[in-house]
Structures are given as structure tokens and as C-alpha cells.
């Protein structure tokens, strides 16, 4: 499939989230969407970087088209993960959307200073959470043209 049509037809999404309930709601929201995609889940910042660098258990991991990144993660927080992504020439163009429960203005500012592509706050209500994920899906996977994958 050509990269030009990929964003409309399918996408590999890396969800970096340690809360099993939020993972389940995100999976549910994507299943209800009309866009074919594969959702990969890592539960902490170290595992996310292993996935992105195709190390260890993630040796055969695909390069995701976009990352949904929580800020409050064990072992390595979302800010640190985003810093490492942006510092790596092989990953720096990868779109990263922060999806977190934090409404703190300093977290919003810090995320954009670290070159996040967007900042979404998770609603507490499960149906509103699903709406936010579906809005993300509709915009980022239907409207936005994503950069081509670097197939190395």
C-alpha cells in the first residue's frame, strides 16, 4: 500500500498507557471507528522506546504511524519518552499526541515545548473518553496526511 493512501486505509498506532481501563476504552473506541488500524500497546516509557527502536521483545515491531503517549508512566515518563523521540533522527518526524489525565497548564506547555503534535486530556466519564479517542481517530487518521514511513 502506498504511503499516500495509508492514512486513509490503515495505520499502526502505538498507545503508551499504563492504566488497563484506559487501554480497554481506547481499544473499544478504535473498534467502533470506521478506519482500519492496528493498535499496539506498551505500558511504560522504557517498553515504548524498545518498541520504537525494535529492541528486545519488540524486535519485529512495525514502525508506528503515530504515537498516543500518556505522561504519567512508570520507569520513564512521557516527557522523557518524547524528548528521546525528538532527539532521534530516525524518529523525530513521528507524530506524537499526548493523551493524559493531566489538565495542568505546565504539562501542556512542556509537551508543546518538547514538540508534541497535540495534547488531549482524558475525560473521566468513559463515554466522553471514547468520544475523545474517536475524534482523534477521525482527525489524525482520516484528515491529516501523515509522514511516510521510513522503511529501513
Amino acid at each position: 500500500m502506498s504511503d499516500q493512501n495509508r492514512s486513509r486505509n490503515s495505520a499502526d498506532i502505538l498507545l503508551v498507557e499504563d492504566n488497563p481501563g484506559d487501554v480497554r476504552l481506547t481499544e473499544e473506541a478504535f473498534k467502533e471507528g470506521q478506519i482500519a488500524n492496528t493498535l499496539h500497546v506498551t505500558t511504560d516509557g522504557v517498553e515504548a522506546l524498545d518498541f520504537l527502536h525494535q529492541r528486545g521483545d519488540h524486535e519485529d515491531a512495525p514502525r508506528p504511524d503515530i504515537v498516543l503517549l500518556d505522561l504519567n508512566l512508570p520507569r520513564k515518563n512521557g516527557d522523557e519518552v518524547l524528548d528521546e523521540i525528538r532527539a532521534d533522527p530516525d524518529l523525530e518526524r513521528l507524530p506524537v499526541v499526548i493523551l493524559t489525565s493531566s489538565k495542568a497548564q505546565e504539562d501542556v506547555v512542556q509537551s508543546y515545548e518538547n514538540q508534541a503534535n497535540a495534547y488531549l486530556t482524558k475525560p473521566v466519564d468513559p463515554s466522553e473518553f471514547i468520544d475523545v479517542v474517536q475524534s482523534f481517530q477521525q482527525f489524525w487518521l482520516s484528515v491529516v496526511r501523515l509522514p511516510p514511513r521510513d522503511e529501513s
Side-chain angles (χ1 to χ4, degrees):
M1 176 184 316
S2 75
D3 282 326
Q4 183 175 9
N5 294 324
R6 174 175 44 85
S7 65
R8 277 181 260 128
N9 295 326
S10 69
D12 279 299
I13 302 153
L14 175 59
L15 173 63
V16 187
E17 174 59 67
D18 64 320
N19 182 319
D22 288 349
V23 170
R24 184 182 49 76
L25 285 173
T26 304
E27 289 171 338
E28 183 179 323
F30 277 103
K31 284 179 189 171
E32 290 178 13
Q34 300 299 311
I35 302 163
N37 60 68
T38 303
L39 186 65
H40 306 275
V41 179
T42 59
T43 57
D44 65 54
V46 171
E47 185 185 7
L49 290 167
D50 285 348
F51 186 99
L52 292 169
H53 292 290
Q54 298 171 316
R55 298 185 295 227
D57 292 342
H58 301 287
E59 183 178 303
D60 296 322
R63 177 62 50 95
D65 298 294
I66 193 163
V67 175
L68 275 172
L69 179 63
D70 189 14
L71 291 179
N72 304 309
L73 297 167
R75 298 205 298 165
K76 190 171 285 231
N77 70 39
D79 287 329
E80 294 169 313
V81 172
L82 184 55
D83 279 344
E84 287 195 37
I85 290 171
R86 294 302 182 237
D88 186 323
D90 293 330
L91 298 174
E92 66 186 353
R93 291 184 305 159
L94 181 62
V96 177
V97 175
I98 304 301
L99 180 62
T100 186
S101 56
S102 174
K103 294 180 183 179
Q105 191 64 30
E106 58 268 18
D107 287 340
V108 175
V109 170
Q110 183 65 47
S111 293
Y112 282 115
E113 285 179 354
N114 291 343
Q115 300 177 349
N117 296 90
Y119 190 101
L120 303 174
T121 303
K122 298 177 200 172
V124 176
D125 179 83
S127 64
E128 289 178 17
F129 183 96
I130 289 172
D131 288 344
V132 165
V133 172
Q134 288 179 335
S135 294
F136 156 83
Q137 182 179 25
Q138 184 63 34
F139 180 73
W140 282 97
L141 304 178
S142 291
V143 178
V144 170
R145 184 159 179 191
L146 297 170
R149 292 179 183 158
D150 290 330
E151 303 290 344
S152 35

